[in-house]
């Protein structure tokens, strides 16, 4: 059993990386000086993994998350350098051309922005945010818009990113035939065990999940073949909405072409970052062709959409509403229809956070950043939310970057762990390894400063705290930023910044205590 | 609670407010000594002794009753009577008919100015509020601070100077008339039957523009439109400046809120973030102050009417004040009070529409 688990963990660890951050440097240019918030952070999260990020308040955990979402408020902040690869696309590949930063002195920094490129960058990133990577925030009561209903906030996300998919499922539903239902019945009648999962996936595929319970009841009634098929088709056909298929398929084609256009834009940005002139020219040509064709082929549709926008949108909104209700059920909200129409202030903190999670996963992102999602909640709700996130990770295979200062939560949630200190990742490795065998002096200090239930004798081990406090990041300590507080300080620590190196298998640490440089 | 219950409740709340207003007006009236109220019914040349006449008049006016009984008499008279008579340079007759003649012009100025400034302020405020500290924003701030701080009569005079016809000789911008409601040249030699030459008013609405349109008199409609421009622009500029400041502040404030970050993290395009998430929240404080701004607008209307010779309620109340026509003052005050109540009702309902958290 244990072996099997380890086997599973191993295969997971060998999986592909979904997110890879390298040498991320983020700074804030304030009137008091430049805050060196992130100083070359590198980390990676594999597909289906829960990666924890811990550290004291102010160590740059949230800035890391915000940088990954490219949501650093500008001004005053900017990502200076580094790369963030999400699903093998570097969202920062046009970074050097977006702005010229002229540092005259600590308090006098001029940022010259290229507005046109920033606009394009924002357009591209807005298609990635929410779609491939989503985020949930610390304070759900602040993070939800107070004047928009919960349902609208969820469907907004669905309608932004899932157009083609929605259109496809509507088309599938509307073109369902008796033959489809017959083959579905043939497929399911031999199923000896529980057929609910099959029914569930089938109804989802054909966008008729409202009929799920009725289908199950009919199948359970055990009537003969013809009778069952007739009853089934009666129920399922009743769920059709009679939408105009021509219009919807035109819309689907249109959105598909738009997606193609977007993919080409991504390629163009990549080519520009590599300065590959031939490819740039080729891609620009393709893009302008596609854009021209899009306008030409869909001119009548675009005209009609301009005047009947409401009518066209209604079909999509209808389907989005259905999906939103499904999502609300998925995050264990008892009365989805009531919550759908209510406003954030009408819900409790736990419910708000659930709604927030539903919103984040609405467009099936493969990566979820949870920035202290339970800090503002009470303990029992905390546990429920943590369970929910873990279930989501298991069921949908969504990777999670879990940020917290609560080591107990980390121990429960995460497979791998990164420890941050003053804008640097100081240690990284499997959670169990880090808890049992911490290497960096900061990690050791952090672990010994939490009360432990398993320590028997009271006077055996005293609770320790790390002397000093987190440094001011306008004037951070030279070399290793932890050295002023470190028990094992050496001369080299104040001079040179230690690199994050693998000292044991899968276990990386940035400290000269484990570095070969010092021995030499 | 549902929105319509809120609206019904808010409408019912108008009733006590109305009685409060009446009470206030009544107190204003009773501040005058009895002799002042009685004076007009005394004929010194009559054979009846003056002291007897005073007693008779007091009895007829109900001044012998306790004051709270008088209040009910007053309420009854407000709903059934003609609010007393007034005699001033611009109007002589029953106060209620005077209000009927002159109130539409004021309402027209106020409504045009309000609608125009809202139509301009919302997109403009959205634009500059979304770009704090940009050149557009700085210009907008200078503009709004200037007009917000400038006394409205000064603004009116400046506009007359710059755009007024024949004010400055040779000024190419001077094309707009500076006083009146329309040009009498547009009436023609034989005035139409719906035009009253002695009062200079048109029927049925007493608004020259609307009446001319109703009767299909395009020349008069055009003329009254031209005459409307400067007073409306003056009021609009001063109201717009206030609204713009509040929308801008609201935009900047809500742009820094956490939910905007959430919206961006969902991948909402920037234009929609501004329209859907920031602006909707920014309008809440704006609507709150709109009621107050409307009150100052009513004050402005009085001044603007005077400067532009645009006969309306403002002129009526001013002439009532200068001629010590006490019933005229009370009547116009009451109407201004009711207008303000109506404006606040609209503001409250708009507030409830935009902010779901507001349900009393």
């Amino acid at each position: 059993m244990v072996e099997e688990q380890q086997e599973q963990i191993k295969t997971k660890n060998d999986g592909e990386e979904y997110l890879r951050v390298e040498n991320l440097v983020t700074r804030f240019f304030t009137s008091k000086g430049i805050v060196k918030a992130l100083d070359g952070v590198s980390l990676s999260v594999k597909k289906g993994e829960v990666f924890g990020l811990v550290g004291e308040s102010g160590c740059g955990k949230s800035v890391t998350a915000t940088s990954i979402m490219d949501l650093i408020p500008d001004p005053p902040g900017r990502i200076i350098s580094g790369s963030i690869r999400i699903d093998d696309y570097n969202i920062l590949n046009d970074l050097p051309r977006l702005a010229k930063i002229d540092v005259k002195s600590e308090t006098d920094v001029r940022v010259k922005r290229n507005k046109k490129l920033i606009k394009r960058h924002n357009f591209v990133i807005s298609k990635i945010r929410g779609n491939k990577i989503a985020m949930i925030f610390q304070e759900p009561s602040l993070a939800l818009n107070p004047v928009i209903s919960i349902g609208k906030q969820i469907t907004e996300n669905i309608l932004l990113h899932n157009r083609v998919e929605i259109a496809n499922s509507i088309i599938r539903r509307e073109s369902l035939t008796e033959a489809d239902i017959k083959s579905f019945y043939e497929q399911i009648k031999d199923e000896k065990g529980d057929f609910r999962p099959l029914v569930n996936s089938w109804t989802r595929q054909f966008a008729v999940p409202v009929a799920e319970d009725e289908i199950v009841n009919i199948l359970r009634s055990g009537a003969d073949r013809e009778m069952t098929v007739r009853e089934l088709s009666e129920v399922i056909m009743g769920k059709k909405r009679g939408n105009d298929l021509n219009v919807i398929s035109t819309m689907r084609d249109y959105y598909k072409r738009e997606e193609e256009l977007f993919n080409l834009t991504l390629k163009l940005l990549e080519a520009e970052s590599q300065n590959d002139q031939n490819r740039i020219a080729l891609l620009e040509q393709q893009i302008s062709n596609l854009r021209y064709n899009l306008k030409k082929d869909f001119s009548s549709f675009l005209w009609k959409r301009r005047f009947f926008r409401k009518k066209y949108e209604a079909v999509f909104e209808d389907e989005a509403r259905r999906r939103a209700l499904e999502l609300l059920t998925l995050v264990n909200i008892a009365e989805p229809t009531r919550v759908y129409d209510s406003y954030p202030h009408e819900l409790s903190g736990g419910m708000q956070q659930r709604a927030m999670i539903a919103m984040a996963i609405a467009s099936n992102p493969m990566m979820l950043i949870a920035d202290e999602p339970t800090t503002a909640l009470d303990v029992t709700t905390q546990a429920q939310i943590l369970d929910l996130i873990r279930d989501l990770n298991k069921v949908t295979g969504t990777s999670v970057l879990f940020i917290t200062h609560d080591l107990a939560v980390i121990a429960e949630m995460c497979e791998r762990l990164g420890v941050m200190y003053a804008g640097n990742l100081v240690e990284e490795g499997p959670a169990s390894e880090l808890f049992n065998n911490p290497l960096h002096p900061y990690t050791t200090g952090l672990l010994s400063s939490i009360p432990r239930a398993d320590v028997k004798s009271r006077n055996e081990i005293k609770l320790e705290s790390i002397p000093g406090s987190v440094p001011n990041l306008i004037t951070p300590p030279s070399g290793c930023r932890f050295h002023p507080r470190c028990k094992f300080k050496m001369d080299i620590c104040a001079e040179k910044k230690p690199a994050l190196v693998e000292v044991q298998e899968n276990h990386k640490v940035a400290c000269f205590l484990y570095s070969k440089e010092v021995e030499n | 609670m549902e929105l319509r219950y809120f609206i019904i409740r808010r409408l019912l709340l108008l009733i006590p407010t109305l009685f409060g207003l009446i009470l206030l007006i009544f107190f204003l009236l009773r501040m005058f000594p009895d002799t002042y109220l009685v004076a007009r019914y005394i004929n010194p040349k009559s054979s009846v002794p003056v002291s007897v006449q005073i007693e008779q008049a007091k009895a007829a006016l109900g001044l012998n009753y306790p004051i709270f009984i008088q209040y009910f008499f007053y309420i009854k008279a407000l709903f059934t009577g003609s609010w007393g008579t007034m005699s001033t340079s611009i109007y002589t007759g029953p106060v209620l008919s005077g209000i009927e003649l002159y109130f539409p012009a004021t309402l027209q100025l106020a409504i045009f100015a309000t609608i125009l400034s809202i139509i301009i302020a919302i997109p403009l405020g959205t634009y500059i509020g979304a770009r704090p500290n940009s050149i557009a924003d700085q210009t907008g701030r200078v503009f709004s601070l200037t007009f917000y701080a400038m006394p409205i009569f000064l603004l009116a005079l400046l506009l007359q100077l710059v755009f007024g016809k024949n004010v400055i000789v040779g000024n190419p911008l001077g094309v707009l008339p500076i006083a009146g409601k329309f040009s009498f040249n547009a009436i023609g030699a034989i005035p139409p039957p719906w035009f009253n030459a002695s009062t200079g008013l048109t029927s049925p609405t007493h608004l020259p523009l609307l009446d001319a349109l109703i009767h299909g008199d395009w020349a008069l409609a055009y003329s009254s439109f031209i005459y409307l421009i400067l007073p409306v622009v003056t009021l609009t500029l001063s109201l717009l400046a206030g609204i713009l400041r509040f929308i801008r502040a609201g935009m900047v404030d809500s742009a820094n809120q956490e939910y905007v970050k959430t919206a961006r993290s969902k991948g909402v395009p920037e234009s929609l973030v501004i329209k859907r998430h920031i602006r909707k929240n920014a309008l809440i404080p704006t609507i709150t102050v709109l009621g107050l701004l409307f009150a100052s607008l009513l004050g402005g209307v009085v001044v603007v009417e005077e400067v532009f010779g645009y006969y309306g309620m403002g002129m009526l109340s001013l002439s009532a004040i200068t001629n010590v026509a006490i019933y005229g003052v009370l009547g116009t005050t009451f109407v201004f009070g009711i207008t303000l109540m109506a404006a606040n009702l609209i503001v409250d309902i708009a507030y409830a529409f935009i902010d779901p958290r507001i349900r009393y």
Side-chain angles (χ1 to χ4, degrees), chain B residues 103-118:
Chain B
F103 186 54
T106 305
L107 203 61
Q108 165 185 265
L109 287 182
I111 287 177
F112 271 146
T114 312
I115 292 176
L116 210 59
S117 35
I118 289 175

Side-chain angles (χ1 to χ4, degrees), chain A residues 174-332:
Chain A
E174 296 303 320
S175 50
L176 255 176
T177 57
E178 297 274 337
D180 286 323
I181 294 168
K182 252 183 204 158
S183 74
F184 167 58
Y185 176 72
E186 296 298 329
Q187 186 195 339
I188 213 158
K189 80 175 183 223
D190 299 328
E191 193 68 27
K192 288 284 178 293
D194 189 11
F195 46 72
R196 282 203 83 113
L198 254 171
V199 175
N200 180 291
S201 69
W202 189 84
T203 50
R204 270 159 183 266
Q205 191 191 344
F206 288 96
V208 285
V210 270
E212 196 182 321
D213 288 339
E214 288 172 79
I215 294 174
V216 170
N217 283 339
I218 293 169
L219 288 173
R220 284 221 175 110
S221 69
D224 64 19
R225 187 173 172 235
E226 238 159 74
M227 183 75 170
T228 315
V229 170
R230 203 166 59 232
E231 277 181 15
L232 277 180
S233 62
E234 210 168 273
V235 165
I236 295 166
M237 293 303 184
K239 302 297 176 205
K240 286 192 181 182
R241 304 264 169 125
N243 303 122
D244 186 351
L245 277 189
N246 279 333
V247 173
I248 292 171
S249 55
T250 319
M251 287 175 89
R252 179 197 54 190
D253 295 343
Y254 177 76
Y255 292 125
K256 243 187 189 162
R257 294 278 273 282
E258 265 193 343
E259 266 178 22
E260 269 172 49
L261 197 63
F262 172 68
N263 288 335
L264 280 180
T265 316
L266 285 191
K267 278 185 191 153
L268 176 69
L269 280 170
E270 212 159 32
E272 279 180 8
S273 73
Q274 290 156 358
N275 213 358
D276 185 346
Q277 291 303 333
N278 293 336
R279 226 172 122 222
I280 292 174
L282 186 71
L283 283 165
E284 270 174 355
Q285 184 61 36
Q286 278 179 346
I287 286 176
S288 70
N289 278 351
L290 197 60
R291 209 170 261 158
Y292 174 76
N293 285 336
L294 195 68
K295 270 195 188 139
K296 202 182 71 186
D297 297 350
F298 292 92
S299 62
S300 69
F301 162 68
L302 286 172
W303 262 105
K304 272 191 230 150
R305 194 177 68 162
R306 198 167 294 169
F307 293 108
F308 303 107
R309 188 157 200 122
K310 272 238 165 79
K311 195 182 124 202
Y312 283 162
E313 286 296 288
V315 185
F316 281 78
E317 271 162 20
D318 195 39
E319 175 66 12
R321 182 190 145 85
R322 199 184 61 60
R323 285 175 182 220
L325 290 176
E326 220 175 276
L327 283 165
L328 287 173
T329 322
L330 187 70
V331 295
N332 299 329

